[in-house]
């Protein structure tokens, strides 16, 4: 047998055929080598001692291989936190910031509490580029409609201030939410208890969605569109794919779903206008009415016209509002409930929570919300749930070069250029082992008491405290773009939790993973794009629901 002695014996045509691949491989290796060299050069500048006070450095660019795409493919890992865990296994957090190339765009990732806070405080930094892309890519609104939306953006702040964040208005929303949830759970107390086994998340997600959507949008929407819950949560999980420019072929189902949701919401809006006699009931009128629901929604529907938003754009805004109210509070409530009744968790937790909730029950069986949301243990559980299970990217686009001090001593500055983007990913701070060290339980573990501290005013008692978490903990974003629904979200979530626990007990049957197979492990977050907000469970707890035996 003859073995070719050298390349000379390889046919020339084969060499020509592989030449382009060799060239591409060479170019890619060169890019990798160059970006790696550049990375270590920057890191040396950062770590080479304090130097002159006022030392200014650009954040180190994380090495990459593919031009333009840069770090995008690995960044878009849909296992929550996977990209950050991998990055910080070799890149030191002490650098304070680093840069990713994402689809041709320099994106600075900032993660020292000091810089994160500086970004929140800076009132001139905006995120309008991202809002534009949201309208354009996720909702595919035409430019002229986007211009109308942008021109009237201040209306949203005004409406939120008037109808969402004000104390009385939040309470009205909570009241309707509670009324509807109570009706739904009362029905379950007859029906669901007959079933041998249900998925806890599946069940509660549906019930809470019904209550919050009815409180916000009235009681006709789910009659006209009973699959809204199902469609919405699928959309919630996939919509960032539009934002990150995944190819259409991967987004086919998502496109169909988005178009269906918008069509259904549009039909609903039209029908409600007609039945309301052409215009929604005055937002200053009743707190809630069946057709358009809350004051906030009525104000928004009127506002769409003022801003010259057409019916499809209006539907996109309705979907956005549903997102604001449901995408975080509902999964967060589920995580709380899962941990409280987890038979493999702290065996005393359920009893302590129940004792607290029974204390805030009114004689008629209802719950006194202001006392409920001030209970230290429940606040700590809510906060710990948000810490572990939210992943928000606070985004800003830079219209000017900006220099920010890396940490308190103010000796080193990082410099970011006009036109670049800045991301402050909450996941990094929420899961920083150092930030939560000195505490008995590691950062990756759920610890119900993490946010409890001795109460100096009442020796022997504990109080809720988030002292020392500035810039490390921001589940609702921060600064001017902080989520306006956060007050309602807390009332909604703790209210729903208490109502469910007061009405039912749960017999644990087992955990299932995201494909529905039995597993010994506690539920993990499912696939979520980075920046998805609250993480959806990727699995469930199977339980038998029983009516709670009243203790009193
Ligand atoms: C805020 O950001 C802008 C760039 O958007 C920058 O020019 C300005 O210096 C920053 N202000 C502070 C106090 O850092
Ligand atoms: C980015 O943000 C600034 C405000 O900081 C804004 O004026 C500017 O138009 C935005 N867009 C771009 C493309 O930079």
């Amino acid at each position: 047998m003859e073995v070719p002695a050298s390349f000379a014996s390889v046919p020339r045509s084969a060499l020509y055929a592989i030449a382009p691949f060799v060239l591409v491989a060479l170019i890619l290796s060169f890019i990798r080598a160059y970006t790696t060299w550049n990375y270590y050069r920057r890191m040396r500048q950062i770590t080479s001692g304090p130097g002159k006070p006022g030392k200014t450095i650009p954040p180190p660019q994380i090495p990459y291989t593919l031009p333009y795409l840069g770090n995008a493919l690995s960044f878009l890992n849909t296992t929550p936190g996977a990209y950050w865990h991998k990055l910080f296994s070799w890149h030191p957090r002490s650098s304070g910031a680093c840069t990713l190339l994402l689809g041709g765009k320099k994106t600075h990732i900032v993660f020292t509490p000091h810089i994160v806070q500086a970004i929140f405080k800076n009132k001139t930094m905006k995120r309008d580029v991202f809002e534009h892309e949201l309208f354009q890519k996720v909702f595919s609104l035409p430019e002229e409609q986007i211009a109308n939306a942008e021109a009237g953006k201040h209306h949203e702040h005004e409406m939120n201030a008037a109808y969402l964040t004000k104390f009385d208005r939040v309470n009205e929303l909570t009241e309707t939410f509670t009324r509807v949830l109570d009706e739904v759970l009362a029905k379950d107390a007859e029906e669901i208890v007959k079933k041998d086994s249900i998925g806890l998340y599946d069940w509660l997600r549906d019930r809470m969605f019904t209550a919050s959507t009815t409180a916000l949008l009235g009681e006709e929407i789910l009659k006209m569109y009973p699959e809204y819950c199902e469609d919405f949560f699928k959309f919630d999980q996939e919509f960032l794919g539009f934002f990150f420019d995944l190819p259409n072929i991967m987004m086919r189902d998502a496109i169909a779903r988005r178009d269906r949701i918008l069509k259904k919401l549009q039909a609903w809006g039209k029908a409600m206008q007609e039945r309301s006699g052409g215009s929604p009931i005055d937002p200053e009128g009743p707190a809630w009415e069946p057709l358009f629901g809350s004051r906030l929604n009525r104000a928004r529907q009127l506002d769409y016209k003022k801003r010259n938003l057409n019916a499809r754009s209006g539907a996109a805004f309705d979907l956005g509002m549903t997102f604001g109210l449901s995408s975080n509070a509902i999964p967060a409530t589920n995580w709380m409930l899962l941990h409280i009744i987890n038979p493999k968790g702290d065996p005393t937790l359920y009893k302590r929570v129940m004792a607290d909730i029974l204390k805030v029950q009114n004689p008629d069986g209802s719950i006194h919300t202001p006392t409920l949301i001030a209970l230290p243990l429940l606040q700590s559980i809510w906060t710990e749930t948000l810490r572990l299970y939210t992943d928000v990217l606070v985004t800003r686009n830079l219209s000017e070069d900006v220099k920010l001090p890396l940490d308190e001593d103010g000796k080193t500055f990082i410099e970011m250029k006009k036109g670049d983007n800045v991301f402050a990913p909450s996941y990094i701070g929420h899961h920083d082992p150092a930030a939560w060290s000195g505490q008995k339980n590691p950062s990756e573990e759920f610890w119900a008491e993490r946010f409890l501290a001795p109460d100096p005013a009442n020796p022997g008692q504990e109080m809720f405290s988030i002292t020392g978490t500035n810039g490390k903990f921001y589940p609702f974003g921060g600064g001017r773009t902080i989520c306006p629904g956060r007050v309602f979200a807390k009332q909604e979530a703790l209210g729903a939790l208490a109502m469910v626990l007061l009405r039912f007990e749960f017999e644990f049957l087992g955990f299932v993973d995201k494909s529905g197979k039995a597993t010994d492990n506690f539920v993990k977050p499912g696939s979520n794009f980075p920046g998805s907000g609250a993480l959806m469970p990727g699995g469930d707890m199977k339980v038998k629901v029983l009516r709670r035996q009243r203790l009193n």
Side-chain angles (χ1 to χ4, degrees), residues 479-547:
R480 54 182 299 133
T481 58
I482 194 162
C483 167
R486 64 194 181 286
V487 185
F488 177 58
K490 181 177 175 190
Q491 297 200 1
E492 176 186 354
L494 290 179
L497 177 73
M499 288 167 74
V500 165
L501 286 173
L502 282 172
R503 222 179 241 284
F504 301 111
E505 284 175 19
F506 302 94
E507 189 184 311
F508 175 76
L509 301 175
F511 295 116
V512 290
D513 66 15
K514 60 180 165 195
S515 52
K517 273 212 304 273
T519 164
D520 284 340
N521 302 322
F522 187 78
V523 185
K524 290 195 181 63
S527 304
N528 290 266
F529 284 113
S532 291
L535 301 173
M536 307 280 164
D540 211 339
M541 184 193 275
K542 292 284 178 190
V543 292
K544 169 150 181 63
V545 184
L546 310 161
R547 239 169 287 164

Coordinates of all heavy atoms in Angstrom, one line a residue, residues 479-547:
G479 N -32.9 53.7 38.8 CA -32.8 55.0 38.2 C -34.2 55.4 37.5 O -35.2 54.9 37.9
R480 N -34.1 56.1 36.4 CA -35.3 56.6 35.8 C -36.1 55.5 35.1 O -37.3 55.7 34.9 CB -35.0 57.7 34.8 CG -33.9 57.2 33.8 CD -33.6 58.4 32.8 NE -34.8 58.8 32.1 CZ -35.1 60.1 31.9 NH1 -34.4 61.0 32.4 NH2 -36.2 60.4 31.2
T481 N -35.5 54.3 34.9 CA -36.3 53.3 34.2 C -36.8 52.2 35.2 O -37.2 51.1 34.8 CB -35.5 52.6 33.1 OG1 -34.3 52.1 33.7 CG2 -35.1 53.6 32.0
I482 N -36.7 52.5 36.5 CA -37.2 51.5 37.5 C -38.6 51.1 37.2 O -39.4 52.0 36.8 CB -36.9 52.0 38.9 CG1 -37.1 50.8 39.9 CG2 -37.9 53.1 39.3 CD1 -36.4 51.1 41.3
C483 N -39.0 49.9 37.4 CA -40.3 49.4 37.1 C -41.4 50.1 37.9 O -41.4 50.0 39.1 CB -40.3 47.9 37.3 SG -42.0 47.2 37.3
P484 N -42.4 50.7 37.2 CA -43.4 51.4 37.9 C -44.4 50.5 38.6 O -45.2 50.9 39.4 CB -44.1 52.3 36.9 CG -43.8 51.6 35.6 CD -42.5 50.9 35.7
G485 N -44.4 49.2 38.2 CA -45.4 48.3 38.8 C -44.9 47.6 40.0 O -45.5 46.7 40.5
R486 N -43.7 48.0 40.5 CA -43.1 47.2 41.6 C -43.9 47.2 42.9 O -43.9 46.2 43.6 CB -41.7 47.6 41.9 CG -41.5 49.0 42.4 CD -40.1 49.5 42.3 NE -40.0 50.9 42.9 CZ -40.4 52.0 42.2 NH1 -40.9 51.9 41.0 NH2 -40.2 53.2 42.8
V487 N -44.7 48.3 43.2 CA -45.4 48.3 44.4 C -46.6 47.3 44.3 O -46.9 46.5 45.2 CB -45.9 49.7 44.7 CG1 -46.6 49.7 46.1 CG2 -44.8 50.7 44.7
F488 N -47.3 47.4 43.1 CA -48.4 46.5 42.9 C -47.9 45.1 42.9 O -48.6 44.2 43.4 CB -49.1 46.9 41.6 CG -50.3 45.9 41.3 CD1 -51.3 45.7 42.2 CD2 -50.3 45.2 40.1 CE1 -52.3 44.8 41.9 CE2 -51.3 44.3 39.8 CZ -52.3 44.1 40.7
A489 N -46.8 44.8 42.2 CA -46.3 43.5 42.1 C -46.1 42.8 43.5 O -46.5 41.6 43.7 CB -44.9 43.5 41.4
K490 N -45.6 43.6 44.4 CA -45.4 43.0 45.8 C -46.7 42.7 46.5 O -46.9 41.6 47.0 CB -44.6 44.0 46.6 CG -44.3 43.5 48.0 CD -43.4 44.5 48.8 CE -43.2 44.0 50.2 NZ -42.6 45.1 51.0
Q491 N -47.7 43.6 46.3 CA -49.0 43.4 46.9 C -49.7 42.2 46.3 O -50.3 41.3 47.0 CB -49.9 44.6 46.8 CG -49.3 45.8 47.5 CD -50.4 46.9 47.8 OE1 -51.6 46.7 47.4 NE2 -50.0 48.0 48.3
E492 N -49.6 42.1 45.0 CA -50.2 41.1 44.2 C -49.6 39.7 44.6 O -50.3 38.7 44.9 CB -50.0 41.3 42.7 CG -50.5 40.2 41.8 CD -50.1 40.5 40.3 OE1 -49.5 41.6 40.0 OE2 -50.4 39.6 39.5
A493 N -48.3 39.6 44.6 CA -47.6 38.4 44.9 C -47.8 37.9 46.3 O -48.2 36.7 46.5 CB -46.1 38.5 44.6
L494 N -47.6 38.8 47.3 CA -47.8 38.3 48.7 C -49.3 38.1 49.0 O -49.6 37.1 49.7 CB -47.2 39.4 49.7 CG -45.7 39.4 49.6 CD1 -45.2 40.5 50.6 CD2 -45.1 38.1 50.0
G495 N -50.2 38.9 48.4 CA -51.6 38.7 48.5 C -52.0 37.3 48.0 O -52.7 36.5 48.7
A496 N -51.6 37.0 46.8 CA -51.9 35.7 46.2 C -51.4 34.5 47.0 O -52.0 33.5 47.3 CB -51.4 35.6 44.8
L497 N -50.1 34.7 47.5 CA -49.5 33.6 48.3 C -50.3 33.4 49.5 O -50.6 32.2 49.9 CB -48.1 34.1 48.7 CG -47.3 33.1 49.5 CD1 -46.9 31.9 48.7 CD2 -46.1 33.8 50.2
A498 N -50.7 34.4 50.2 CA -51.4 34.3 51.5 C -52.8 33.6 51.2 O -53.3 32.7 51.9 CB -51.6 35.6 52.2
M499 N -53.5 34.1 50.1 CA -54.8 33.6 49.8 C -54.8 32.1 49.5 O -55.6 31.3 50.0 CB -55.4 34.3 48.6 CG -55.8 35.7 49.0 SD -56.2 36.7 47.6 CE -57.8 36.0 47.1
V500 N -53.7 31.7 48.8 CA -53.6 30.3 48.4 C -53.3 29.4 49.7 O -53.9 28.4 49.9 CB -52.5 30.1 47.4 CG1 -52.1 28.7 47.2 CG2 -53.0 30.6 46.0
L501 N -52.4 29.9 50.5 CA -52.0 29.2 51.7 C -53.2 29.1 52.7 O -53.3 28.1 53.5 CB -50.8 29.8 52.3 CG -49.5 29.5 51.6 CD1 -48.3 30.3 52.2 CD2 -49.1 28.0 51.6
L502 N -54.0 30.1 52.7 CA -55.1 30.1 53.7 C -56.2 29.1 53.3 O -57.0 28.6 54.1 CB -55.7 31.5 53.9 CG -54.9 32.4 54.8 CD1 -55.5 33.9 54.7 CD2 -54.9 31.9 56.2
R503 N -56.3 28.9 52.0 CA -57.4 28.1 51.5 C -57.0 26.6 51.3 O -57.9 25.8 51.4 CB -57.9 28.6 50.1 CG -59.3 28.6 49.9 CD -59.6 29.2 48.6 NE -60.4 30.4 48.6 CZ -61.7 30.4 48.8 NH1 -62.4 29.3 49.1 NH2 -62.4 31.6 48.8
F504 N -55.8 26.4 51.0 CA -55.4 25.0 50.6 C -54.2 24.5 51.4 O -53.3 25.3 51.9 CB -55.0 25.0 49.1 CG -56.2 25.4 48.2 CD1 -56.1 26.6 47.5 CD2 -57.3 24.6 48.1 CE1 -57.1 27.0 46.6 CE2 -58.3 25.0 47.3 CZ -58.3 26.2 46.5
E505 N -54.1 23.2 51.4 CA -52.9 22.5 51.8 C -52.4 21.7 50.6 O -53.2 21.3 49.8 CB -53.1 21.6 53.0 CG -53.3 22.4 54.3 CD -53.6 21.5 55.4 OE1 -53.5 20.3 55.4 OE2 -54.1 22.1 56.4
F506 N -51.1 21.3 50.6 CA -50.6 20.6 49.4 C -49.9 19.4 49.9 O -49.0 19.4 50.8 CB -49.6 21.5 48.7 CG -50.3 22.8 48.2 CD1 -50.2 23.9 49.0 CD2 -51.0 22.9 47.1 CE1 -50.8 25.1 48.6 CE2 -51.6 24.0 46.7 CZ -51.5 25.2 47.4
E507 N -50.3 18.3 49.3 CA -49.6 17.0 49.6 C -48.6 16.8 48.4 O -49.0 16.8 47.3 CB -50.7 15.9 49.5 CG -50.2 14.6 50.0 CD -51.3 13.5 49.8 OE1 -52.5 13.8 50.2 OE2 -51.0 12.5 49.2
F508 N -47.3 16.8 48.8 CA -46.3 16.7 47.9 C -46.2 15.3 47.2 O -46.2 14.3 47.9 CB -44.9 17.0 48.6 CG -43.7 16.8 47.7 CD1 -43.4 17.7 46.8 CD2 -42.9 15.6 47.9 CE1 -42.2 17.6 46.0 CE2 -41.8 15.5 47.1 CZ -41.4 16.4 46.1
L509 N -46.2 15.3 45.9 CA -46.1 14.0 45.1 C -44.8 13.8 44.5 O -44.4 12.7 44.3 CB -47.3 14.0 44.1 CG -48.7 14.1 44.7 CD1 -49.7 14.1 43.6 CD2 -49.0 12.9 45.6
G510 N -44.1 14.9 44.1 CA -42.8 14.8 43.5 C -42.5 15.9 42.5 O -43.4 16.7 42.2
F511 N -41.3 16.0 42.1 CA -40.9 17.1 41.2 C -40.8 16.5 39.8 O -40.6 15.3 39.6 CB -39.5 17.6 41.5 CG -39.4 18.3 42.8 CD1 -38.6 17.8 43.8 CD2 -40.1 19.5 43.0 CE1 -38.5 18.4 45.1 CE2 -40.0 20.1 44.2 CZ -39.2 19.6 45.2
V512 N -41.1 17.3 38.8 CA -40.9 16.9 37.4 C -39.9 17.9 36.7 O -39.9 19.1 37.1 CB -42.2 16.8 36.6 CG1 -43.0 15.6 37.0 CG2 -43.0 18.1 36.6
D513 N -39.2 17.5 35.8 CA -38.3 18.4 35.0 C -39.0 19.0 33.9 O -40.2 18.8 33.7 CB -37.0 17.7 34.6 CG -37.2 16.6 33.6 OD1 -38.3 16.6 33.0 OD2 -36.3 15.8 33.3
K514 N -38.3 19.8 33.0 CA -39.1 20.5 32.0 C -39.7 19.6 30.9 O -40.6 20.1 30.2 CB -38.2 21.6 31.4 CG -36.9 21.1 30.7 CD -36.2 22.4 30.1 CE -34.8 22.0 29.7 NZ -33.9 23.1 29.5
S515 N -39.2 18.4 30.8 CA -39.9 17.5 29.9 C -41.0 16.7 30.6 O -41.5 15.8 30.0 CB -38.9 16.6 29.1 OG -38.1 16.0 30.1
G516 N -41.3 17.0 31.8 CA -42.3 16.3 32.5 C -41.9 15.0 33.2 O -42.7 14.3 33.8
K517 N -40.6 14.7 33.1 CA -40.1 13.4 33.7 C -39.9 13.6 35.2 O -39.4 14.7 35.7 CB -38.8 13.0 33.1 CG -39.0 12.2 31.8 CD -37.9 11.2 31.6 CE -36.5 11.7 31.6 NZ -35.9 12.2 30.3
A518 N -40.2 12.6 36.0 CA -40.0 12.7 37.5 C -38.5 12.9 37.8 O -37.7 12.3 37.1 CB -40.5 11.4 38.1
T519 N -38.2 13.7 38.8 CA -36.9 13.9 39.2 C -36.8 14.1 40.7 O -37.9 14.5 41.3 CB -36.3 15.2 38.5 OG1 -35.1 15.6 39.2 CG2 -37.2 16.3 38.5
D520 N -35.7 13.9 41.3 CA -35.5 14.1 42.8 C -35.2 15.6 43.1 O -35.3 16.0 44.3 CB -34.4 13.3 43.3 CG -34.8 11.8 43.4 OD1 -36.0 11.5 43.4 OD2 -33.9 10.9 43.4
N521 N -34.9 16.3 42.1 CA -34.4 17.7 42.4 C -35.5 18.7 42.4 O -36.4 18.7 41.6 CB -33.4 18.1 41.3 CG -32.2 17.1 41.2 OD1 -31.8 16.6 42.3 ND2 -31.8 16.7 40.0
F522 N -35.2 19.7 43.2 CA -36.1 20.9 43.3 C -36.1 21.6 41.9 O -35.2 21.5 41.1 CB -35.6 21.9 44.3 CG -36.5 23.1 44.6 CD1 -37.6 22.9 45.4 CD2 -36.2 24.3 44.0 CE1 -38.4 24.0 45.6 CE2 -37.1 25.4 44.2 CZ -38.2 25.2 45.0
V523 N -37.3 22.2 41.6 CA -37.5 22.9 40.3 C -36.3 23.9 40.0 O -36.0 24.7 40.8 CB -38.8 23.6 40.3 CG1 -39.1 24.2 38.9 CG2 -39.9 22.7 40.7
K524 N -35.8 23.8 38.7 CA -34.8 24.7 38.3 C -35.5 25.7 37.3 O -36.5 25.4 36.7 CB -33.7 24.0 37.5 CG -32.9 23.1 38.4 CD -31.6 22.8 37.6 CE -30.7 21.9 38.4 NZ -31.3 20.6 38.7
P525 N -34.9 26.9 37.1 CA -35.4 27.8 36.1 C -35.3 27.1 34.7 O -34.3 26.4 34.5 CB -34.4 29.0 36.2 CG -33.8 29.0 37.5 CD -33.7 27.5 37.9
G526 N -36.2 27.5 33.9 CA -36.2 26.9 32.5 C -35.3 27.7 31.6 O -34.5 28.5 32.1
S527 N -35.5 27.5 30.3 CA -34.7 28.3 29.4 C -35.2 29.7 29.3 O -36.4 29.9 29.1 CB -34.8 27.7 28.0 OG -34.4 26.3 28.0
N528 N -34.4 30.6 29.5 CA -34.7 32.1 29.4 C -33.6 32.8 28.8 O -32.4 32.5 29.1 CB -34.9 32.6 30.8 CG -36.1 32.1 31.6 OD1 -37.2 32.7 31.6 ND2 -36.0 31.0 32.3
F529 N -33.9 33.7 27.9 CA -32.8 34.6 27.3 C -32.3 35.5 28.5 O -33.0 35.8 29.4 CB -33.4 35.5 26.2 CG -33.6 34.8 24.9 CD1 -34.9 34.6 24.4 CD2 -32.5 34.3 24.2 CE1 -35.1 33.9 23.2 CE2 -32.7 33.6 23.0 CZ -34.0 33.4 22.5
P530 N -31.0 35.9 28.3 CA -30.5 36.9 29.3 C -31.4 38.1 29.3 O -31.7 38.6 28.3 CB -29.1 37.2 28.8 CG -28.8 36.3 27.7 CD -30.1 35.6 27.3
G531 N -31.7 38.6 30.5 CA -32.5 39.8 30.6 C -34.0 39.6 30.5 O -34.8 40.5 30.2
S532 N -34.5 38.3 30.8 CA -35.9 38.0 30.6 C -36.8 38.5 31.7 O -38.0 38.4 31.7 CB -36.1 36.5 30.6 OG -35.6 35.9 29.4
G533 N -36.2 39.1 32.8 CA -37.0 39.5 33.9 C -37.1 38.3 34.9 O -36.1 37.6 35.1
A534 N -38.3 38.0 35.4 CA -38.4 36.9 36.3 C -38.2 35.6 35.5 O -38.7 35.5 34.4 CB -39.8 36.9 37.0
L535 N -37.5 34.7 36.1 CA -37.2 33.4 35.4 C -38.4 32.4 35.6 O -38.9 32.2 36.7 CB -36.0 32.8 36.0 CG -34.7 33.6 35.9 CD1 -33.5 33.0 36.7 CD2 -34.3 33.9 34.5
M536 N -38.8 31.9 34.5 CA -39.9 30.9 34.6 C -39.3 29.6 35.1 O -38.2 29.2 34.7 CB -40.4 30.6 33.1 CG -40.8 31.8 32.4 SD -42.4 32.3 32.9 CE -42.4 33.9 32.2
P537 N -40.1 28.9 35.9 CA -39.7 27.5 36.3 C -39.6 26.6 35.1 O -40.4 26.7 34.2 CB -40.8 27.1 37.2 CG -41.5 28.3 37.7 CD -41.4 29.3 36.5
G538 N -38.6 25.8 35.0 CA -38.5 24.8 33.9 C -38.8 23.4 34.5 O -37.9 22.6 34.5
G539 N -40.0 23.3 34.9 CA -40.4 22.0 35.6 C -41.5 22.4 36.6 O -41.9 23.5 36.5
D540 N -41.8 21.4 37.4 CA -42.9 21.8 38.3 C -42.9 20.8 39.5 O -42.1 19.9 39.6 CB -44.3 21.6 37.5 CG -45.4 22.5 38.0 OD1 -45.2 23.0 39.2 OD2 -46.3 22.8 37.3
M541 N -43.8 21.2 40.5 CA -44.0 20.3 41.6 C -45.4 19.7 41.5 O -46.3 20.4 41.3 CB -43.9 21.1 42.9 CG -43.9 20.3 44.2 SD -44.2 21.3 45.7 CE -42.6 21.8 46.1
K542 N -45.4 18.4 41.5 CA -46.7 17.7 41.5 C -47.3 17.6 42.9 O -46.6 17.2 43.8 CB -46.6 16.3 40.9 CG -46.2 16.3 39.4 CD -47.4 16.7 38.6 CE -47.0 16.8 37.1 NZ -48.1 17.3 36.3
V543 N -48.5 18.1 43.0 CA -49.2 18.0 44.4 C -50.6 17.6 44.2 O -51.2 17.6 43.2 CB -49.2 19.4 45.0 CG1 -47.8 19.9 45.4 CG2 -49.9 20.5 44.1
K544 N -51.1 17.1 45.4 CA -52.6 17.0 45.5 C -53.0 18.1 46.3 O -52.5 18.4 47.4 CB -52.9 15.6 46.1 CG -54.4 15.6 46.5 CD -55.0 14.2 46.4 CE -56.5 14.2 46.8 NZ -57.3 15.0 45.8
V545 N -54.0 18.9 45.8 CA -54.5 20.0 46.6 C -55.7 19.6 47.5 O -56.6 18.9 47.1 CB -55.1 21.1 45.6 CG1 -55.5 22.3 46.3 CG2 -54.0 21.4 44.5
L546 N -55.5 20.0 48.7 CA -56.6 19.7 49.7 C -57.1 21.0 50.3 O -56.4 22.0 50.4 CB -56.0 18.9 50.9 CG -55.1 17.7 50.5 CD1 -54.2 17.3 51.7 CD2 -56.0 16.5 50.1
R547 N -58.4 21.0 50.7 CA -58.9 22.2 51.4 C -58.2 22.3 52.8 O -58.1 21.2 53.4 CB -60.4 22.1 51.6 CG -61.1 23.2 50.9 CD -62.6 23.0 50.8 NE -62.9 21.9 49.8 CZ -64.0 21.3 49.7 NH1 -65.0 21.5 50.6 NH2 -64.2 20.4 48.8

